[in-house]
Amino acid sequence: MLNKYARAFFTRVLTPFAALLLRLGVSPDAVTLVGTAGVMAGALVFFPMGEFFWGTIVITIFVFSDLVDGNMARQAGISSRWGAFLDSTLDRVADGAIFAGFALWYAGSGDDNILCAVAIFCLASGQVVSYTKARGESIGLPVAVNGLVERAERLVISLVAAGLAGLHNFGVPGIDVLLPIALWIVAVGSLVTLIQRVVTVRRESAEADAAEAAATGPAATDSAGSAGRGSEADR
């Protein structure tokens, strides 16, 4: 849901910065790679040590590269399939690093196996949520659904909570409880979003199959159905 509004706002804000990088000869791919490396460093260096405030600051600085690189490509007129592929792939890497950092903290000094498992679930469910949309689109379906907790929501909820929880190290009492609450919210929200997307793909695929069957006629449908039953038996 946040993707729809926040991305447009920050794209406008970051356009001058993207133009500056282009004038300096920086490529969009370089911004993508540096941004991902920065997010991974912030998550996997600071979070396992319990330094959630500073880790969040580092991640926040670099996470905006996800908007800058695409903006640069559009301004330069060099948008490409490779750039889109690289950006989407490294987004998954960065997201995984964030929740891996949480899991490492709770598996180590945080000493909470349940929250470690919740963080791992957030990591895995986030990857699967992204995959369902990509896979649905790859078979020709629009996957027209705005999920409850998509990538923007996962990042905002988890990073805001982590940053605030990190203030516990500066003497703010009780605020560290925000991170466990956020992880549970992201876990439940990701599960709901996954169900939403699966249900949507199921409905859209049924509609597409019905439209195709109506277009080809009863004879073709009977033939396809017989072939499908035979293949199923062979499997």
Side-chain angles (χ1 to χ4, degrees):
M1 292 183 289
L2 285 176
N3 282 332
K4 182 178 179 181
Y5 304 103
R7 181 172 288 271
F9 170 76
F10 283 111
T11 296
R12 289 195 297 271
V13 171
L14 294 170
T15 292
F17 180 62
L20 173 62
L21 291 177
L22 286 172
R23 288 196 296 271
L24 293 174
V26 179
S27 72
D29 285 355
V31 172
T32 303
L33 291 168
V34 170
T36 302
V39 171
M40 292 179 65
L44 298 177
V45 173
F46 290 95
F47 284 177
M49 297 189 299
E51 294 290 344
F52 295 116
F53 178 79
W54 294 115
T56 300
I57 294 297
V58 172
I59 290 169
T60 302
I61 291 171
F62 285 100
V63 81
F64 284 105
S65 66
D66 185 46
L67 299 176
V68 174
D69 55 5
N71 194 315
M72 292 171 64
R74 287 189 294 274
Q75 288 191 49
I78 54 174
S79 297
S80 65
R81 291 182 177 86
W82 162 250
F85 170 81
L86 180 67
D87 185 59
S88 296
T89 301
L90 293 184
D91 281 350
R92 305 289 83 76
V93 174
D95 293 357
I98 290 171
F99 289 103
F102 294 143
L104 288 171
W105 163 250
Y106 286 115
S109 300
D111 193 24
D112 193 318
N113 288 337
I114 292 177
L115 287 175
C116 176
V118 173
I120 292 172
F121 179 83
C122 290
L123 190 162
S125 60
Q127 307 299 315
V128 177
V129 164
S130 297
Y131 174 79
T132 53
K133 185 173 182 64
R135 184 66 178 120
E137 290 175 343
S138 74
I139 57 175
L141 301 175
V143 196
V145 58
N146 289 322
L148 179 64
V149 175
E150 297 181 327
R151 183 173 187 253
E153 287 83 1
R154 289 195 303 271
L155 289 178
V156 169
I157 292 170
S158 59
L159 291 179
V160 168
L164 292 174
L167 295 177
H168 180 76
N169 291 347
F170 295 91
V172 180
I175 201 166
D176 52 326
V177 73
L178 290 178
L179 182 55
I181 292 172
L183 288 176
W184 279 107
I185 290 173
V186 171
V188 173
S190 296
L191 179 61
V192 171
T193 304
L194 177 59
I195 293 171
Q196 288 177 302
R197 289 192 173 178
V198 169
V199 169
T200 298
V201 170
R202 171 63 177 165
R203 174 178 53 79
E204 291 177 350
S205 62
E207 291 171 353
D209 290 344
E212 183 178 342
T216 55
T221 302
D222 292 342
S223 175
S226 298
R229 287 190 292 271
S231 299
E232 186 68 31
D234 291 341
R235 290 196 295 272

